[in-house]
Amino acid sequence: MRRTTSVLLSLSALLAASALTVPTAVAAPEAERPAAAPAGWEAVDATALARITGEKDARRAPLAAGDAATTAAAEPELLAVQSGRNNRFVATEKNYAEPNTGVQRARSTEFVGSWESYAFEWDETTQTYALRSLANNRYVAVEKNYTGSAQNVLRARSTRVGGWERFALYYNETLDRWALRSTVNGLFVTMENDYTGSLQYALRARSAEVAGSWEQFVLYDIGA
């Protein structure tokens, strides 16, 4: 069984308790190559991700008793994401009603299964990842056309991948943490720890830099 290293992903702050505003229907922009890595961080491609999450001192996601992870695969990497701010696992809220369906929230106290599972799919051309939720088999998108406190919230709702669904992944060796930056707006994913209600702990691509634990995440290998 492979193990995972503790890895932090820079995920956007949590969504407000108020309902999300439905975005205007527009075509997703073309995916662009990610910007330069911030100081102290390095961009991570598929080879580096597999190496880091496969190191012998890495950790595996702690499965709840009697549960099992989704079938493993060498490509893409199958990972669980834990917030560095509240130490909770990110989950896909597939049972939320529209327009909140598929919202990403760091709300699970333990890794249970597919709700907290993601396939990190590497694209060599754009040097970015698409994150596919194993809870509903949809790609995570940044809702840049939402407004207010819900703007740039992350939702697993796309069946295809474009600029809205692409993220650059960065690693800080000193911190042993990871961060994610959206290519659609160039902002880092943040966990909204101070939000309340049904959207507490939601993820939003809204930070210009990795300022602290709100933008940092731990990654756990859930592959066999």
Side-chain angles (χ1 to χ4, degrees):
M1 300 280 289
R2 292 169 52 200
R3 301 187 177 186
T4 61
T5 47
S6 72
V7 178
L8 280 171
L9 297 168
S10 159
L11 291 167
S12 273
L14 295 172
L15 286 178
S18 58
L20 299 177
T21 304
V22 180
T24 305
V26 296
E30 291 294 322
E32 298 178 354
R33 299 180 77 87
W41 298 77
E42 61 177 307
V44 177
D45 62 12
T47 301
L49 180 60
R51 173 181 56 79
I52 295 170
T53 58
E55 289 175 352
K56 61 183 179 181
D57 61 344
R59 295 182 297 176
R60 289 191 56 79
L63 279 171
D67 210 331
T70 308
T71 304
E75 276 297 324
E77 292 294 314
L78 300 184
L79 304 170
V81 181
Q82 183 184 42
S83 168
R85 181 66 180 181
N86 67 0
N87 296 319
R88 297 189 177 218
F89 288 94
V90 176
T92 296
E93 300 295 4
K94 68 176 185 177
N95 291 337
Y96 274 19
E98 288 290 351
N100 297 341
T101 309
V103 161
Q104 303 297 292
R105 293 204 305 133
R107 55 81 166 165
S108 297
T109 56
E110 62 183 2
F111 174 82
V112 177
S114 62
W115 287 48
E116 296 84 19
S117 302
Y118 299 87
F120 278 60
E121 300 182 2
W122 173 251
D123 180 69
E124 187 68 28
T125 300
T126 61
Q127 299 285 292
T128 60
Y129 290 90
L131 278 58
R132 178 168 51 84
S133 169
L134 301 192
N136 63 2
N137 204 36
R138 298 293 180 96
Y139 290 99
V140 175
V142 173
E143 300 294 5
K144 64 173 290 187
N145 288 341
Y146 281 7
T147 59
S149 58
Q151 187 175 34
N152 298 324
V153 67
L154 271 60
R155 289 205 304 143
R157 54 84 166 163
S158 300
T159 57
R160 296 183 299 175
V161 178
W164 293 31
E165 295 80 20
R166 293 213 171 277
F167 299 85
L169 178 62
Y170 300 98
Y171 179 62
N172 186 306
E173 185 174 7
T174 301
L175 299 174
D176 190 21
R177 295 296 181 261
W178 299 74
L180 287 172
R181 177 189 266 165
S182 168
T183 65
V184 76
N185 65 6
L187 300 177
F188 288 95
V189 176
T190 305
M191 192 277 291
E192 300 294 1
N193 196 60
D194 291 340
Y195 278 14
T196 58
S198 62
L199 292 177
Q200 187 177 32
Y201 307 140
L203 303 183
R204 293 200 303 135
R206 58 85 166 166
S207 295
E209 60 184 11
V210 183
S213 60
W214 292 46
E215 295 85 20
Q216 297 175 356
F217 298 82
V218 180
L219 291 184
Y220 291 85
D221 191 344
I222 59 174

